[in-house]
Every structure is written in structure tokens, then in C-alpha cells.
Amino acid sequence: MNTEITERITQLRKEMAHEKVDAYFVPGTDPHQSEYVPECWLRRNWISGFTGSAGDVLVTADFAGLWTDSRYFLQADNELVKKTFTLMKTGLPDSVSIPEYLKQNLKNKTVGIDPQVVSIQWIKENQAIFEQKGISIKSLAENLVDRLWKDRPIPSLAPIKPLAEEFTGESHSAKLHRIREVLKTESVSAFVVTTLDSIAWAFNIRGTDIPFNPVIISYALITLEDAYLYIQSEKVSPELEAHLGTLVKIKKYNEIASDLKNLKKQRVLIDPKTTSCWIRDCLSESILHEVRSPIVLFKAIKNKVEQTGMKQAHFYDGIALCKFLSWLEKAVQDKSLTEISAAEKLLAFRKNHPHFQGPSFETISGYKEHGAIVHYRATPESNSTLTPDGVYLLDSGGQYLEGTTDITRTITLGNPTTQQKEHFTRVLKGHIALDSVIFPVGTSGAQLDVLARKSLWSAFLDYGHGTGHGVGCYLNVHEGPQSISSRGHEPLKAGMIVSNEPGYYLSGEYGIRIENLVLVQQEAEGFLSFEAITLCPMDKKLMDVSLMTKNEISWVNNYHAQVYEMLSEEMNKKELKWLTEATEPLE
């Protein structure tokens, strides 16, 4: 693979010279600005060998760099070909972004892009830098990676599944009405929807075009009178047509370009953050109204049916997790269990429920030093054997018809050290502090993030990732606009769901993370709080009670009592014994 990657970069440079560009930008996203990308568009992976879900590549005549954040530093360091690629770490005090690198190194040069995968906002945010240094952005008619990637997979032809109103809580007719009310308020006649989860939400449809994300490769155009869904014609079924009815016209995926070009002189709403330069160019004769998509907030604030469904999904998931952890305690004694086989066993437990649709992301099954790699993925080469010793980090989730789950538990497999217990307990204290907070309406995640870090900071410890992300309802496991991080400035609102997942990672030794999903709910007039909806014990063997306050001990005992009450009747005799011990009160 090392030789292949080096050869691919060599060939890419030849294509760059042919197109007369001095640099070529390969973002890790796709025409829909997706975080997780279908196989047919994994161009950054193919050209660099890096498989993480976040990262961009820039190639010049004498430099190839991959930019990624702290979740992937160790993974990128392992996967990149050192003689060909330079790892450019983002989010650090001395980090240099791609635009800043261009500013420093490519004065009066030309940067090639594929306009279908670069957002309007990225160009706008960096336009001043480019102009200052005489850097020209050149849109190319063909993606240069595609030109080299001869065996590139074709887009998925998997069927589209309508999602019944019993799960969505709102018909697509009602959703289209809500969207059109916004269009009237914004004085626009059309709205171009480019993000796949927004389209799935608006039309109450789900698919399997991207692993772990139940979405469909598609575009949508919503006007005051009509709605159009652009998909591959092979994916159209009588079931889909019956579901959409006369409210939605189905068109071929590539017809979006000509339809947009026909919106001449019309005022069209687009979201610059998620709309590509190519879409903008198709609308060159329209009047563009650039604001955030109204679907973003509609989707983030779950209705009562969705809230109930998310809790139901976590009930199903809690059963699977507890059965697995009960099994794990015995299975690890055999010394034949590995990171991969453990993840496969957990998946088997989840599959026992008929509403389970698949994992919500690739399971992070990290034993000992692998747990310190924040988004570790076990491979046949790295697959460690679990033994009755050390710390095991398990981050996993499921897609159910009712909702999406995401849970992390850190487990000692035996002989926890004093240091491991202290680190775990400080992470737990941060988790509890965030879960317990009552905050005024209008508060953002950025204002709450410090609560999860305070105990770690007092010991001069920290973690590099955000504390929480939004989660979709049988949709993407990462969903905006809300988050709990230094960059999470969206006010939290009742009905939103967000993760609570502080952690600590000791490179080369172990990783610790404790994650529940929480529902933002109204606590009193003008005030909000969090309700934990994840149901699974936290490892008491890793808790140092001497570091915990009485209130923190009470929180653990109350949470465990709730877990026991909800799940005990679903356990067999051996599992019930494990659950009873796992949830017995701390002294």
C-alpha cells in the first residue's frame, strides 16, 4: 500500500500539471458535505490511505499534507506513508490551516478544486486570504482523483424505505408545510436541500447508501407549490411512490442541474455551509438568499413521538449492552476473545431486537493502549486479545426504527491501578457535573463544556475532543447544530438530544470515556436540564469513592437504580446476577 499511495500522488501531480494548477485540494467530504461518505466518494481515503471520518488533503508539486484533529492524530500517524505525507495537526495553538498554508507557501499560485465537494462557505471564509496573496481558485470540470481511481465503486442502488408516522411523529406533508412557511417569511420562491439527513427527515424516508447513516444519495428542491426529490431512477419503487404520493415529484439525480438553471431571476434559499460551489454555479442567474437551512433546527428539536422513540431505542440498546457485559465478564477469562470478536458479539446481541437496523457507527473496541486512540478501529493486524487485566474502552451504537443510540463504557478487565481509578473517577465527576446542571434558556454548549473538564483540569489533565454532539432520530449519529464544546455556540433547546462524553487518554497505555445521551428538557420556567436516556451501568470497580462527593455517590446510586428497575426483567438468571452486582449502591 505504501508504494501505491506514493504512486497515486505522483500520478496526481502529473494531472495537476496538465490542468495547470499548482495545488489540488481533496476534502474528506462529498457533494452533500457529509461527514460520513459513501464508498464511491472516499477520494481522500484513496489518495492518502487515511481512513478517519475527518480530514482533508492538500497536494502541491513538492508537498502532500493531511489535516485532521486530535481524535485522529494517532490513527493518522499509523496510516500515513511518512515519506509521502505530512500530518498537519489541527486544533493546536500553533496549528496552520490549509488556507494559511496556501497563504504562506503559494503566493500568486493556482489551487484546483472540484466545485461539487467544496462548500460556498469555505471559499467565502478564505477569500480574503486568497486575494491578499494572489491565490486563484480554479474549478475543474472533472475530479482529478476520479480520473486516476479506475475501480471506483458505483453509488449504492439499495432500496429506499418509507418511515411510518408512528416513528416520525409528523407526516412529510406537515413538514413541507412548515418549510414553506419559512420560505414565505424569507420571501423566497425555492429552497435547495443538499444534506442527506435533512432530505431523509423532510420526506420521512431512510436508506443504506452510506454505512451506519440511514440516508439516501439525493438532492431536493422545495418551492411554494411543489417538491422534487432527485435520486437514482433504479431506486424508485411502487412503495416509495405510494408513500410520497402527489406531494413529491421524483426525478433523476442528475436532473438537479438543469432544474436549478431554470430558476432564472427567482429568489432561492441555500445554506452556504452545506451547499457546494457547483450548486451555486447552477444558480448563477438566480437571486441567492444565503441563510442556514430551516430543516437544521426542525430536525434537531425532537417532537414527543421522537423523544419517546429515542428512549425506547435506548431501552432496547440497554438490554443488549447488559447482556453483553454479563457475557464479557466470563468470556474474557478464556483469553481467546479479541477486540473484533467482542464487537461482533455485541452486534449479535443488538440484532436480537427486530427493530434493529444496524450499527450507528463502526464500533470502537479498544483494549489497553488502543483505547487511547480516540476513534480507534480494530483491524486484523491490530486486533488485540482481551485478557483478565487492563482497561477496555467500548464505544458503540445502534440504529433502531425508533431512534439512534451512542454509548461508551470503560471497563476494567482486572487489577485496576490507583492511577486508572483516579483518571476514571475524574472523568466520571465531569460526566456527573454536566448531567446534573440546571441552566437558563439561551445557554450554549460552549458555556457548559467546562463542567465536564473541571475535575480533570484540577489535576492538570484534559482531553482534546468536544464533550458532546447532537444525535439524530434514526438518522446520523452526529447531528448539528447543537454541541457541547468550546465551539458549540448554538443555544440548547428543549427536545434536543446531545451526548455527554468526557474522557482522558494516556497515550500508549489506556483510554477512558464515559458516554450517555441526554435529552434537553424544561426544568422550570426559563430553565432547562438534562435527562439521561442511556441505560447501562458504569464500572464501579474503577471508581475511587474517596474522590467523590456525597452528591456524586448519590447520582451513581440513583442512576444505577434506574438502570436496574428498567432492565432487570429482561435478564436471565446469570445476567440478573451480574446486573444486580453492577448496580448495587456505592457505600
Side-chain angles (χ1 to χ4, degrees):
M1 177 57 80
N2 288 7
T3 304
E4 286 182 22
I5 294 296
T6 301
E7 178 60 24
R8 288 170 188 175
I9 293 297
T10 299
Q11 294 301 317
L12 179 60
R13 287 180 172 135
K14 290 180 180 178
E15 296 299 332
M16 290 163 52
H18 177 75
E19 295 289 346
K20 298 180 180 178
V21 296
D22 303 290
Y24 191 64
F25 177 41
V26 186
T29 188
D30 64 13
H32 305 275
Q33 295 298 303
S34 305
E35 176 187 11
Y36 295 98
V37 176
E39 290 185 3
C40 61
W41 288 326
L42 287 172
R43 295 160 173 138
R44 189 230 43 224
N45 300 39
W46 187 86
I47 200 68
S48 69
F50 172 65
T51 61
S53 66
D56 301 322
V57 160
L58 181 74
V59 178
T60 70
D62 54 6
F63 170 82
L66 172 92
W67 276 255
T68 192
D69 61 53
S70 63
R71 296 172 297 168
Y72 298 102
F73 289 167
L74 293 176
Q75 180 180 341
D77 190 58
N78 289 334
E79 292 182 341
L80 292 177
V81 180
K82 303 292 193 303
K83 68 176 183 178
T84 303
F85 268 93
T86 300
L87 172 58
M88 305 293 284
K89 299 179 178 181
T90 65
L92 303 179
D94 57 348
S95 294
V96 177
S97 68
I98 287 179
E100 288 166 344
Y101 181 89
L102 293 171
K103 176 182 176 181
Q104 295 172 9
N105 296 280
L106 273 86
K107 183 179 180 181
N108 298 323
K109 302 291 186 181
T110 300
V111 179
I113 64 165
D114 174 355
Q116 292 204 48
V117 296
V118 176
S119 72
I120 296 169
Q121 185 140 320
W122 190 84
I123 296 293
K124 279 190 168 187
E125 287 177 348
N126 301 299
Q127 193 64 46
I129 290 177
F130 299 150
E131 291 178 354
Q132 180 185 358
K133 292 296 181 177
I135 297 169
S136 300
I137 303 297
K138 182 178 181 180
S139 292
L140 304 180
E142 182 183 6
N143 189 291
L144 299 189
V145 175
D146 291 357
R147 195 179 288 177
L148 302 172
W149 191 1
K150 302 304 181 185
D151 57 349
R152 188 163 70 97
I154 63 170
S156 167
L157 298 177
I160 297 171
K161 299 179 291 186
L163 190 62
E165 197 171 332
E166 66 176 287
F167 300 115
T168 66
E170 185 179 15
S171 68
H172 63 281
S173 173
K175 290 178 177 180
L176 289 172
H177 176 75
R178 276 209 282 163
I179 292 167
R180 287 183 175 123
E181 289 301 303
V182 175
L183 303 191
K184 292 174 185 176
T185 301
E186 298 289 337
S187 300
V188 298
S189 58
F191 168 34
V192 184
V193 193
T194 59
T195 51
L196 305 184
D197 61 333
S198 291
I199 295 168
W201 178 89
F203 296 110
N204 288 341
I205 53 177
R206 299 295 187 269
T208 56
D209 290 0
I210 300 179
F212 315 115
N213 299 265
V215 296
I216 304 101
I217 295 174
S218 54
Y219 286 107
L221 177 63
I222 300 171
T223 71
L224 295 174
E225 295 83 24
D226 299 300
Y228 302 90
L229 176 64
Y230 299 86
I231 56 175
Q232 290 172 276
S233 54
E234 296 91 339
K235 298 171 75 70
V236 179
S237 66
E239 184 185 17
L240 178 65
E241 291 177 318
H243 167 71
L244 296 177
T246 58
L247 294 173
V248 182
K249 297 178 175 64
I250 301 174
K251 306 196 76 171
K252 294 179 180 178
Y253 179 75
N254 58 11
E255 287 185 278
I256 182 72
S258 58
D259 283 4
L260 295 184
K261 290 173 182 176
N262 287 332
L263 296 175
K264 296 176 182 178
K265 299 183 180 178
Q266 293 191 42
R267 188 170 161 84
V268 181
L269 189 154
I270 59 171
D271 185 335
K273 185 177 180 180
T274 57
T275 302
S276 70
C277 296
W278 178 78
I279 292 286
R280 179 203 59 195
D281 295 343
C282 291
L283 292 165
S284 60
E285 295 187 52
S286 301
I287 303 163
L288 300 185
H289 181 59
E290 298 184 17
V291 294
R292 186 171 73 180
S293 163
I295 295 176
V296 168
L297 211 53
F298 289 163
K299 177 165 53 64
I301 300 173
K302 277 57 179 173
N303 60 41
K304 294 299 182 184
V305 171
E306 290 173 318
Q307 292 177 34
T308 300
M310 288 291 280
K311 292 178 182 180
Q312 190 66 34
H314 282 81
F315 173 70
Y316 302 151
D317 218 48
I319 295 169
L321 261 294
C322 288
K323 287 179 177 292
F324 168 79
L325 291 174
S326 169
W327 170 87
L328 177 70
E329 190 170 76
K330 303 296 183 184
V332 75
Q333 303 299 323
D334 298 336
K335 299 183 181 179
S336 60
L337 188 65
T338 68
E339 293 169 331
I340 291 176
S341 62
E344 289 171 344
K345 185 66 174 181
L346 175 55
L347 178 59
F349 277 115
R350 282 193 167 110
K351 283 181 175 178
N352 285 332
H353 198 279
H355 285 190
F356 179 71
Q357 303 298 300
S360 56
F361 56 95
E362 188 174 354
T363 296
I364 299 169
S365 176
Y367 181 50
K368 291 190 175 179
E369 69 273 14
H370 290 161
I373 304 173
V374 179
H375 275 197
Y376 171 73
R377 298 290 185 270
T379 66
E381 294 74 29
S382 70
N383 189 23
S384 291
T385 299
L386 276 57
T387 62
D389 179 65
V391 172
Y392 176 48
L393 187 152
L394 183 66
D395 187 348
S396 68
Q399 297 284 8
Y400 299 85
L401 292 175
E402 291 86 353
T404 302
T405 71
D406 182 3
I407 173 175
T408 308
R409 288 295 182 264
T410 304
I411 306 136
T412 176
L413 300 183
N415 307 310
T417 67
T418 300
Q419 178 181 255
Q420 288 168 349
K421 293 176 73 171
E422 179 190 348
H423 289 163
F424 180 91
T425 305
R426 289 192 180 279
V427 172
L428 176 64
K429 286 167 74 72
H431 180 99
I432 294 171
L434 183 58
D435 181 273
S436 306
V437 67
I438 295 173
F439 52 95
V441 170
T443 301
S444 70
Q447 294 170 276
L448 302 179
D449 185 65
V450 64
L451 294 172
R453 301 178 189 269
K454 182 175 180 294
S455 180
L456 287 164
W457 285 357
S458 67
F460 309 105
L461 307 172
D462 198 8
Y463 52 95
H465 57 77
T467 301
H469 56 84
V471 180
C473 185
Y474 184 25
L475 271 175
N476 294 356
V477 74
H478 291 164
E479 177 182 89
Q482 73 277 20
S483 69
I484 299 175
S485 72
S486 60
R487 299 180 299 277
H489 299 297
E490 181 74 26
L492 296 169
K493 293 181 172 62
M496 288 180 169
I497 288 177
V498 69
S499 65
N500 172 2
E501 50 179 313
Y504 178 70
Y505 310 93
L506 189 58
S507 182
E509 295 195 35
Y510 56 84
I512 293 166
R513 188 161 63 252
I514 305 171
E515 177 184 20
N516 280 355
L517 297 193
V518 295
L519 169 66
V520 183
Q521 60 181 355
Q522 185 169 333
E523 180 71 21
E525 187 171 351
F527 282 84
L528 302 170
S529 63
F530 293 127
E531 175 189 0
I533 61 175
T534 301
L535 296 169
C536 183
M538 298 170 182
D539 195 344
K540 294 187 300 177
K541 301 185 196 74
L542 280 169
M543 297 180 192
D544 183 346
V545 179
S546 69
L547 292 175
M548 299 170 67
T549 67
K550 288 183 178 179
N551 285 342
E552 290 166 344
I553 293 170
S554 294
W555 184 96
V556 171
N557 291 340
N558 291 337
Y559 176 72
H560 280 169
Q562 179 193 11
V563 170
Y564 182 86
E565 180 183 357
M566 293 288 291
L567 302 181
S568 57
E569 293 185 4
E570 306 298 327
M571 303 292 118
N572 65 30
K573 188 175 180 180
K574 288 183 179 179
E575 294 160 352
L576 182 60
K577 182 177 184 294
W578 175 87
L579 182 63
T580 301
E581 293 173 355
T583 58
E584 281 179 346
L586 292 171
E587 296 179 3

